[in-house]
Amino acid sequence: MRLQYTALACALLIGTLSGCGESSSSQCGDGFPNCNKTDNTTQFDEKALVSHLVDRIIVPQHNAFAASLAPLESAVDQYCQALQADTVTNELNLAQAAWRSTATEWQKIEMYQLTPLSQDTQALRNLFYSWPSVSTCGVDQDTVFNDAGMINTTPYDISKRSVSRRGIPALEYTLFNSDLDHSCSSNSGAVANWNSRTDASRTLARCKYAQTLVDDIKVSQQTFANIWQGDNGYASQLKNAGQPGSDFTSVHQAVNVISDALFYLDSFVKDKKLGEPLGYFGTPTNVESPYSETSLQNISANLQAFYQLYMGDHFGSASPLGFHHFLIEEGETETAQNILTNIQAAQNRVANMQSSLKAQLNADQSDLEALHADIKKVTDDLKTLFITTLALELPSTSAGDND
């Protein structure tokens, strides 16, 4: 029986699978003639690799993120209650700490953007984390709408609002931005009277919007979980690749889909989170997570997640099994070790940084430049010997990009 998704789930997730009649967007990079190889004759147990990565790495991380939402909801609720009773002591700090925990767990999932998150220009992913598309003015406007319970004559419904004013980045803004004035370019529309409201009124309105944001994230999380779970869920489809009832025609295709996730390190971590702020692509851009100043913690979580997926090692697994072992089986021990060495070097470099990314951009950028170089060594190997040795396709986000 073929995979039966709801219309919503199908629109959000299926693109590389035949169930919705679309094809893969991956393609070969220039100079990689073997990446379209279809007669995979390796003796390596790819089915065991897929099952291990799904059951021991990816799904446990989904569960860790889901588990972080209850403490986050409780902390935000307690902060709002304290504001209403005018008894605030340490509640904001606790809510911020809970946000950091949830955000860190999400940053690990950022590295595991398989089809359910990446499909349809990242529609599902953006409900959680739309960065770099974030509108603080939009958050200010929706704070007003949420507080009033209406948009003009229509009841306020966050599910109908754009992703740039929802999710984890919007929640960061409501909890960490100490400037209570709105960030819109003009003092008109929904925010026309915002700056004249009392500090207490504005702080409480932001907290109420934070509660709405947490509720919205919980709804998105349930949609995400429903897609992955069950006998016909995405996890089962991956693990049963090549078998009747799976939309993956071969185990190697499932391996390729999982390997695509590793390239987040290239297109997002190396280029957007480091390269763009450093000015490597023109005028420097703003950093990720500017209000909490957790940009480096985000990168650290990304690197940890990469290590876990590459090594198949989740918190010291007794029997790790990952792409590292696949490379060794195919005779590329040197490449396997180089990737491991360089990702560990990047992890150590981030751990030893003493100030925020924003502070380093305004002072000495040498550590950030060295971190970028460490990560580039990894991504260079991913885009060459990794894909050719394992007969994989290069994601469209990295094809032809060998900087």
Side-chain angles (χ1 to χ4, degrees):
M1 178 178 182
R2 294 184 68 80
L3 177 60
Q4 300 296 315
Y5 289 113
T6 64
L8 171 63
C10 192
L12 288 172
L13 96 92
I14 304 297
T16 60
L17 307 185
S18 61
C20 286
E22 298 180 17
S23 60
S24 171
S25 61
S26 296
Q27 56 183 294
C28 297
D30 294 338
F32 305 133
N34 295 327
C35 80
N36 277 329
K37 180 180 177 181
T38 58
D39 58 334
N40 181 45
T41 57
T42 180
Q43 297 301 305
F44 183 79
D45 191 343
E46 292 184 290
K47 183 175 180 62
L49 174 66
V50 171
S51 293
H52 181 87
L53 294 179
V54 169
D55 290 340
R56 302 293 182 87
I57 309 297
I58 299 172
V59 171
Q61 185 54 53
H62 293 174
N63 294 339
F65 172 75
S68 75
L69 295 180
L72 175 63
E73 180 180 35
S74 176
V76 171
D77 285 348
Q78 289 177 29
Y79 174 47
C80 291
Q81 291 167 12
L83 284 172
Q84 290 177 309
D86 195 22
T87 58
V88 176
T89 54
N90 196 41
E91 287 82 4
L92 175 58
N93 290 334
L94 294 175
Q96 290 174 337
W99 178 91
R100 290 189 185 95
S101 178
T102 293
T104 295
E105 298 301 343
W106 180 259
Q107 286 294 332
K108 296 172 187 175
I109 293 178
E110 279 281 281
M111 184 60 67
Y112 304 153
Q113 287 191 43
L114 307 186
T115 305
L117 289 176
S118 64
Q119 180 56 32
D120 192 24
T121 59
Q122 299 181 305
L124 180 56
R125 175 261 185 182
N126 289 340
L127 293 177
F128 295 97
Y129 198 75
S130 63
W131 185 86
S133 177
V134 180
S135 172
T136 58
C137 175
V139 175
D140 289 325
Q141 292 170 339
D142 272 46
T143 297
V144 175
F145 293 139
N146 180 76
D147 192 42
M150 302 287 288
I151 299 180
N152 296 323
T153 59
T154 303
Y156 180 76
D157 183 352
I158 193 172
S159 70
K160 292 180 170 57
R161 307 301 289 166
S162 65
V163 295
S164 64
R165 56 189 73 197
R166 296 164 63 182
I168 294 169
L171 187 57
E172 175 196 11
Y173 181 81
T174 63
L175 293 177
F176 287 87
N177 183 20
S178 59
D179 184 353
L180 292 175
D181 286 353
H182 67 75
S183 60
C184 299
S185 58
S186 63
N187 196 38
S188 61
V191 297
N193 299 317
W194 174 260
N195 289 351
S196 62
R197 292 172 59 168
T198 66
D199 287 358
S201 172
R202 290 185 290 176
T203 302
L204 181 58
R206 277 189 179 173
C207 193
K208 288 180 178 178
Y209 189 51
Q211 289 177 305
T212 299
L213 288 167
V214 173
D215 289 342
D216 185 47
I217 292 170
K218 288 173 59 184
V219 171
S220 299
Q221 168 57 32
Q222 190 57 59
T223 299
F224 187 35
N226 290 343
I227 291 172
W228 272 84
Q229 294 170 354
D231 292 341
N232 285 326
Y234 197 75
S236 179
Q237 289 290 307
L238 284 168
K239 293 190 292 181
N240 293 321
Q243 302 298 314
S246 174
D247 285 305
F248 291 99
T249 58
S250 70
V251 178
H252 192 65
Q253 184 188 15
V255 171
N256 207 148
V257 166
I258 295 176
S259 76
D260 285 350
L262 293 171
F263 288 83
Y264 180 91
L265 188 72
D266 178 50
S267 57
F268 270 81
V269 180
K270 177 175 68 69
D271 290 349
K272 290 189 178 298
K273 298 189 180 192
L274 284 170
E276 290 184 6
L278 283 167
Y280 288 176
F281 304 102
T283 304
T285 60
N286 294 328
V287 302
E288 183 185 25
S289 302
Y291 297 98
S292 61
E293 295 196 29
T294 53
S295 304
L296 289 178
Q297 290 91 325
N298 295 347
I299 292 173
S300 178
N302 299 151
L303 294 174
Q304 181 183 355
F306 179 96
Y307 171 88
Q308 290 172 349
L309 192 64
Y310 174 71
M311 292 297 296
D313 185 354
H314 191 258
F315 304 118
S317 302
S319 301
L321 179 63
F323 290 100
H324 178 81
H325 308 89
F326 195 0
L327 282 169
I328 292 173
E329 179 72 21
E330 296 301 299
E332 274 295 341
T333 300
E334 182 178 359
T335 298
Q337 188 57 46
N338 284 344
I339 292 175
L340 176 59
T341 298
N342 290 322
I343 202 65
Q344 289 176 326
Q347 287 178 297
N348 290 336
R349 194 177 299 279
V350 171
N352 290 328
M353 290 185 182
Q354 300 300 313
S355 59
S356 70
L357 192 153
K358 182 190 295 186
Q360 292 186 62
L361 285 172
N362 293 327
D364 183 0
Q365 299 184 4
S366 59
D367 281 345
L368 296 177
E369 292 167 353
L371 175 61
H372 183 277
D374 288 337
I375 293 174
K376 186 177 184 300
K377 291 176 184 177
V378 177
T379 60
D380 284 350
D381 278 338
L382 286 180
K383 291 186 281 186
T384 53
L385 290 171
F386 177 83
I387 62 164
T388 55
T389 299
L390 304 185
L392 300 170
E393 293 183 351
L394 190 65
S396 57
T397 54
S398 294
D401 172 23
N402 295 302
D403 65 332

